[in-house]
Structures are given as C-alpha cells and as structure tokens.
Amino acid sequence: VQLQASGGGLAQPGGSLRLSCSGSGFMDYFSIAWFRQAPGKEREGVSCISSNGDRTYYAASVKGRFTVSRDNNKNTVYLDMSNLKTEDTAVYYCAARDQADVCGVFGISRGSFGDFGQGTLVTVSS
C-alpha cells in the first residue's frame, strides 16, 4: 500500500493540527506509524496504531498531546496534535507494515517499516 501524508502547516505554540495519512488501497491489515524528521536530526518514531485500531503507541515526547486514530473504511489514519511546541517542527511521514501490531513487538522502530513516501511539513512558531 502506498501512503500519502497531508495536513501540515503553520501553527502557533499551544495550537493544534490534524495530519492525515491516506492509503492507495485497503489498510485493514497494516500497522501504521507516524515518524518525523527535524532539520539536522534523525527520523524518529512518533506514534503507531495497530491494524484494527485497538492499540496505540506514542513517543514519550508527544504522549498526552498527540492522538492517533484510524478509519479503515476511508483507508485513512489520523494524527491529532495539540499543545504544539516549537520542537514539534519537522516533516512528518507515515509508513505501513503488513502486520497487525508490529509496534507492540518492536516499538515505533524505523526498521519495522518500509517506504515512507512524501511527508508533510509542520512548523510551530509564533
């Protein structure tokens, strides 16, 4: 399945944004993860959701502020981001793995996922 992230933009500190990850086909059997890469930094795992949405995972830096969800009828996964901080500024990517709960086994690991496709830029600035 090919994925496309969208919904990025400019937000003020403390603000909110919703990112979407749309799939080219059925996503029902895929774990989906969000990663981000800030300038000069390595790509890091942000959040992950199991294939049926019953399990979610978050990096410590975003826990309590970000919420991942999915609508398999729409082949879309969402990342709701609130209380944004300047350090959340990055290009955000989504990625898929054809395993029901890969993050439950390996964590939000870049090595567990395949192609990331195009990302969407989130800039948090006043």
Side-chain angles (χ1 to χ4, degrees):
V1 63
Q2 292 188 341
L3 303 177
Q4 177 68 55
S6 63
L10 177 63
Q12 291 188 339
S16 301
L17 280 175
R18 169 178 258 201
L19 304 185
S20 297
C21 174
S22 300
S24 60
F26 293 114
M27 295 168 61
D28 300 46
Y29 305 110
F30 290 81
S31 293
I32 304 294
W34 287 96
F35 291 79
R36 67 185 181 187
Q37 188 164 17
K41 294 188 177 181
E42 292 191 357
R43 194 168 298 185
E44 63 172 346
V46 174
S47 183
C48 183
I49 187 166
S50 61
S51 59
N52 65 0
D54 65 340
R55 296 182 183 183
T56 57
Y57 306 89
Y58 300 93
S61 59
V62 306
K63 197 167 187 178
R65 301 189 296 120
F66 289 11
T67 302
V68 62
S69 60
R70 67 190 298 161
D71 184 341
N72 285 343
N73 292 325
K74 296 183 178 179
N75 294 327
T76 303
V77 172
Y78 304 99
L79 185 68
D80 288 294
M81 307 185 296
S82 63
N83 192 20
L84 284 163
K85 303 177 180 181
T86 55
E87 52 262 43
D88 294 319
T89 295
V91 178
Y92 284 71
Y93 303 85
C94 54
R97 173 66 183 267
D98 56 349
Q99 189 170 333
D101 186 23
V102 67
C103 293
V105 179
F106 299 108
I108 314 173
S109 171
R110 182 177 177 180
S112 298
F113 293 85
D115 294 338
F116 288 85
Q118 279 193 320
T120 186
L121 176 62
V122 172
T123 303
V124 183
S125 175
S126 56

